[in-house]
Amino acid sequence: MCPHSDAAEQERFRELDPSDRILGRLDELEALFRRRLLDDRAKIEFVAELKERSELDDRVIQSRLLRPLANRLVGIVDRIYSWDGEPDPLAMSAGEEIMDVLEEFGVETIDISGRVDPTVHRVVKQLPSDSPRGTILSVQRNGITLDGRVIRVADVVVSVGDRYVEGGE
């Protein structure tokens, strides 16, 4: 911009009526305010987009890294807990510690108390018992969730009730 035009603009501004100068200044401030609002809105949208990308990256990391790792580690814990021999206190302690570490990363074992829930339990065996039909009697393999999403269902043994007769009901 030419320095002479700035001087000319300032001279013209001085010649205006004081109320016109105030209105002109208000128009300038309003334009500045609108530009800043638009700039702030763009920054807010950019931050929201970065947050969304970050959450997507977290989900990718969970599915590619944490999910298979959790499955493998819980498999190791399953072997520790299903040992038929004399329980080894060190192995049991290691299994508990592995589960504690996994819990810090959002991995939890699926509850196996009460009745079977097909969304989190897979019935692998049915046995007669005094418990009502559909009651979980034992677990053969722990199920796990990662941040509330099932990544491995629990394999459970379920009661068929006392009406069960060998070969059918």
Side-chain angles (χ1 to χ4, degrees):
M1 193 176 242
C2 179
H4 298 290
S5 65
D6 280 344
E9 185 70 29
Q10 289 175 0
E11 183 61 34
R12 192 172 60 82
F13 186 73
R14 281 189 217 119
E15 293 173 3
L16 293 174
D17 178 346
S19 62
D20 289 339
R21 279 188 285 178
I22 291 170
L23 289 174
R25 185 67 179 138
L26 283 174
D27 287 342
E28 290 173 11
L29 289 172
E30 181 182 8
L32 176 63
F33 182 69
R34 288 183 189 275
R35 280 193 308 272
R36 287 197 175 160
L37 280 177
L38 290 174
D39 187 44
D40 287 350
R41 184 175 295 139
K43 287 176 184 174
I44 289 169
E45 289 172 359
F46 179 70
V47 168
E49 184 180 329
L50 284 177
K51 182 179 178 187
E52 187 177 316
R53 284 184 192 172
S54 174
E55 290 169 355
L56 179 61
D57 289 346
D58 287 348
R59 287 192 300 270
V60 168
I61 289 169
Q62 282 184 348
S63 66
R64 289 190 178 161
L65 179 66
L66 191 53
R67 188 177 183 154
L69 180 63
N71 268 322
R72 298 283 305 269
L73 290 173
V74 172
I76 292 168
V77 172
D78 285 346
R79 285 198 306 270
I80 291 170
Y81 290 160
S82 66
W83 175 254
D84 286 339
E86 183 72 27
D88 179 354
L90 181 61
M92 297 302 280
S93 175
E96 290 171 13
E97 192 167 337
I98 289 170
M99 292 308 298
D100 288 345
V101 169
L102 287 173
E103 284 178 14
E104 290 177 22
F105 290 93
V107 176
E108 295 181 355
T109 56
I110 292 174
D111 182 26
I112 52 137
S113 62
R115 299 184 56 76
V116 70
D117 176 354
T119 62
V120 295
H121 303 125
R122 177 175 43 219
V123 177
V124 294
K125 193 173 188 181
Q126 296 179 344
L127 295 174
S129 79
D130 293 334
S131 299
R133 178 189 252 351
T135 302
I136 297 173
L137 300 174
S138 65
V139 62
Q140 289 195 342
R141 185 181 80 156
N142 285 314
I144 53 175
T145 61
L146 176 58
D147 292 328
R149 292 185 304 266
V150 177
I151 60 173
R152 187 174 93 172
V153 296
D155 290 344
V156 295
V157 177
V158 176
S159 170
V160 291
D162 59 358
R163 293 180 288 146
Y164 180 82
V165 177
E166 193 69 35
E169 285 190 83

